[in-house]
Amino acid sequence: MSYVSEFAVASAEDAVRHFRKRLSMETDCADVHAAMRNGDVDFVLLHAVGSPEMFATRHIPGAHHLPHRQMTAERMAEWPQDTLFVVYCAGPHCNGADQAALKLALLGRPVKVMIGGMTGWQDEGYAFSDTPQHAINAR
């Protein structure tokens, strides 16, 4: 018996429930990039970590800079209550996106984490931006 088969395989029904739930809470860089490329952006992309200066030097195009520590009901009132937020951070070594997602969910906001973050975006070969017009902190 291998390590792969050591534990029983989930039933198809359990697998469907598991993956449906997982996909309801996350997206990936390829899906975000495709939505941007196709003009199907039905979400607000939030860069959830770092300083305004770091954001200004490199971020995902179209993203708003709003660190998770600054996410409050008052701050989020800028967007309608049903706005879907997609949050990302530096990458798999960072939990800023998870912290942002938790805060937004506690505020009753729809949210997904973009798995991979900046590292995943770079791994996919997608371009970054250094245009700071979406820096919420600069307003």
Side-chain angles (χ1 to χ4, degrees):
M1 180 179 295
S2 73
Y3 291 121
V4 173
S5 62
E6 179 178 357
F7 297 97
V9 176
S11 69
E13 295 82 17
D14 286 345
V16 166
R17 271 192 300 281
H18 170 81
F19 291 112
R20 235 184 222 148
K21 183 169 185 154
R22 185 171 172 180
L23 290 169
S24 74
M25 292 185 252
E26 64 187 29
T27 188
D28 67 14
C29 299
D31 290 342
V32 169
H33 185 266
M36 293 173 162
R37 183 186 65 236
N38 297 332
D40 293 330
V41 180
D42 54 358
F43 55 89
V44 172
L45 186 62
L46 295 179
H47 182 106
V49 296
S51 69
E53 295 78 21
M54 289 300 294
F55 176 80
T57 63
R58 185 171 170 234
H59 58 273
I60 295 172
H64 297 267
H65 183 234
L66 183 58
H68 61 83
R69 288 183 174 88
Q70 297 175 15
M71 292 179 182
T72 63
E74 296 77 27
R75 199 71 185 268
M76 302 316 294
E78 178 176 333
W79 293 279
Q81 190 65 32
D82 63 347
T83 300
L84 170 59
F85 293 97
V86 173
V87 295
Y88 73 91
C89 58
H93 59 283
C94 177
N95 71 2
D98 291 332
Q99 291 186 47
L102 175 59
K103 281 195 172 179
L104 291 170
L106 288 169
L107 291 170
R109 298 303 196 115
V111 62
K112 289 189 175 194
V113 170
M114 185 183 78
I115 59 173
M118 300 268 294
T119 301
W121 194 263
Q122 181 174 337
D123 288 351
E124 294 289 338
Y126 302 139
F128 287 96
S129 178
D130 62 0
T131 305
Q133 76 263 21
H134 292 291
I136 293 173
N137 292 337
R139 290 185 190 169

